[in-house]
Amino acid sequence: MTTTSPDQRPDEAILEFLRSPFEPEWREPALGDDAVSVWESENRVVLPEPYRSLVAEIANGSSLGPPEDGGLLPLGWLPPDWPDLGDRDPAALFPLQGTWAWEGEPLAEDHHERVAAVYNHGSVVLGTDDGLSYWVLVVTGPQRGKVWLVTDVGAYPYPMPNALGFLAWVQRWHAGHGWWD
């Protein structure tokens, strides 16, 4: 399920809220709608709202903001410690609908390919939590628009058992809730 047309642009109240946790002095310049459209075309995917409007109109990343360890990455960037598991393909179907804890499970013949798909298919990376855990925004499939945590031991919708959308993820951080409260 790949979306080929943009979602409805969020109303001004949502955009105003998104400006509040990303203070101007910490923001990277917004890309503008044309640059976001070019990125989407090159990557064959349309970003879910309100993330799309955030990077187009407010900030393409922020060194202060969720996640706390390094802030929000600019669109298409990867943390320096991102595992090299092959090429990323945001347009490929995100492979999960529920938690998958792969640590300690018997290794299937396709285990490494399945793990690589979780890291590389159907998402944009929002940031890192501790160098072994990465926040991703799913951009394809049934989990489109939801935030997941991909770690060295498994992948989890945040918060379990169901994933929140990008706006709710930012709201929780901005309200001072710990990630696992």
Side-chain angles (χ1 to χ4, degrees), residues 20-180:
S20 60
F22 302 105
E23 297 176 24
E25 62 270 17
W26 298 100
R27 294 180 197 162
E28 294 298 323
L31 291 177
D33 193 59
D34 290 345
V36 171
S37 293
V38 167
W39 187 93
E40 290 171 325
S41 178
E42 289 172 352
N43 289 278
R44 304 172 334 275
V45 67
V46 174
L47 297 170
E49 289 290 359
Y51 177 76
R52 184 182 197 281
S53 289
L54 174 81
V55 297
E57 302 174 30
I58 299 170
N60 182 30
S62 172
S63 56
L64 179 64
E68 293 170 357
D69 190 7
L72 187 68
L73 288 174
L75 176 62
W77 286 31
L78 298 174
D81 54 4
W82 182 260
D84 184 9
L85 299 174
D87 295 332
R88 288 196 42 77
D89 184 358
L93 184 65
F94 184 72
L96 300 177
Q97 291 193 45
T99 298
W100 180 31
W102 53 72
E103 181 179 64
E105 84 172 9
L107 294 183
E109 189 173 308
D110 66 345
H111 175 82
H112 296 295
E113 292 82 11
R114 290 176 57 215
V115 170
V118 171
Y119 275 92
N120 292 326
H121 291 175
S123 67
V124 294
V125 181
L126 298 173
T128 183
D129 194 21
D130 60 13
L132 297 174
S133 303
Y134 307 95
W135 297 101
V136 300
L137 176 64
V138 177
V139 296
T140 63
Q143 291 294 307
R144 183 178 188 279
K146 304 296 184 177
V147 175
W148 280 62
L149 186 65
V150 179
T151 74
D152 60 332
V153 298
Y156 313 89
Y158 175 77
M160 292 190 296
N162 299 309
L164 293 175
F166 178 76
L167 178 63
W169 181 73
V170 173
Q171 288 169 329
R172 285 183 60 92
W173 176 83
H174 189 58
H177 294 293
W179 290 123
W180 306 112

